[in-house]
Amino acid sequence: MKSPARQHFEQVTAAKAAGAATPGQQQGGEQYELHAAALYEARRTLKTIKSIQAKIEKKRELLPDFMPYVNGVLAEGKGAKDDVLMTLMVWCIDVGDFEKALEIGAYAVKHNLDTPDQYDRDTVSILAEEIAEGVKAQLDKEGADADALANVMARAVAIVGDADMHDQIKAKVHKSYGYALRAAEDAEEALHQLKQALALNEKIGVKQDIQQLERQLKKQGEQAPA
């Protein structure tokens, strides 16, 4: 674990370099080079691990060492190309740190940053699909914080909702948002989101959920005082 002084130094110097970089050009500076090298070694380590869950735990262990750099870039960055930052966005989703992933994602979308070559989808598609799938997986776990997950999906929609992406991916976003809202007991808005998902992809698998929510809302309407 890096000392607080070291973390502060890395964040400040990363912020300074990011603020001085030219938008659209390759990010440079000592901190970028150091963290790119550290990320290269980390990915080599990850390739030796077969278990998906063990890979996730290793990423969770490694991520804190990169956060001062990330926070520095987000604080002062002007939109230089940054494979380190974009890779760490995906790692944050992998470990369930959706808030940090969306913070990086919002910066990336604002500055039209591409993902590294090893990812076969554009930034918006990765952010939308991986967040949607990650939130859905979290909802299936006992004790999930439905309100927090609904807020994650609301923020994701705000960031990527108007972007051009495949209908199947956008449908996944609305489905996960709908499921989170349903778990948070907002049946009316959950129904709206699931209907949007179905309109985008009729095979998304929400027809029964829509029918159940419609019955629930009808029953609530009938029970409401006149």
Side-chain angles (χ1 to χ4, degrees), residues 78-109:
K78 299 294 192 296
K81 292 173 62 178
D82 193 326
D83 285 356
V84 173
L85 184 71
M86 298 306 293
T87 300
L88 295 174
M89 179 190 79
V90 179
W91 282 25
C92 285
I93 299 173
D94 291 342
V95 304
D97 189 352
F98 302 130
E99 294 297 334
K100 181 57 71 174
L102 287 169
E103 188 179 349
I104 299 171
Y107 173 87
V109 171

Side-chain angles (χ1 to χ4, degrees), residues 64 85 119-120 129 161-162 164 172 175 188 199 206 213-214:
L85 184 71
Y119 299 107
D120 58 359
E129 188 165 21
D162 295 330
D164 181 33
K172 283 186 180 182
K175 179 179 180 178
E188 190 170 348
V206 297
L213 285 168
E214 287 175 337

Side-chain angles (χ1 to χ4, degrees), residues 6 8 13 43 55 58 62 76 85 91 108 114 118 126 146 149 156 162-163 165 170 173 180 195 199 218 221:
R6 180 65 194 179
H8 177 72
T13 50
R43 289 178 61 207
K55 284 180 186 285
K58 189 63 179 178
L62 292 167
E76 301 291 341
L85 184 71
W91 282 25
D114 293 325
Q118 72 262 29
I126 288 177
L149 292 170
D162 295 330
M165 70 183 85
K170 193 168 287 190
V173 172
K195 283 183 174 180
K218 183 181 179 182

Side-chain angles (χ1 to χ4, degrees), residues 35-50 55 58-59 62 66 87 91 118:
H35 285 82
L39 185 59
Y40 176 79
E41 291 301 324
R43 289 178 61 207
R44 285 184 61 186
T45 299
L46 288 166
K47 284 181 179 179
T48 68
I49 302 172
K50 295 183 177 68
K55 284 180 186 285
K58 189 63 179 178
K59 288 176 181 178
L62 292 167
F66 292 95
T87 300
W91 282 25
Q118 72 262 29

Side-chain angles (χ1 to χ4, degrees), residues 125-137:
S125 296
I126 288 177
L127 188 65
E129 188 165 21
E130 297 298 327
I131 288 282
E133 291 182 352
V135 165
K136 187 172 179 294

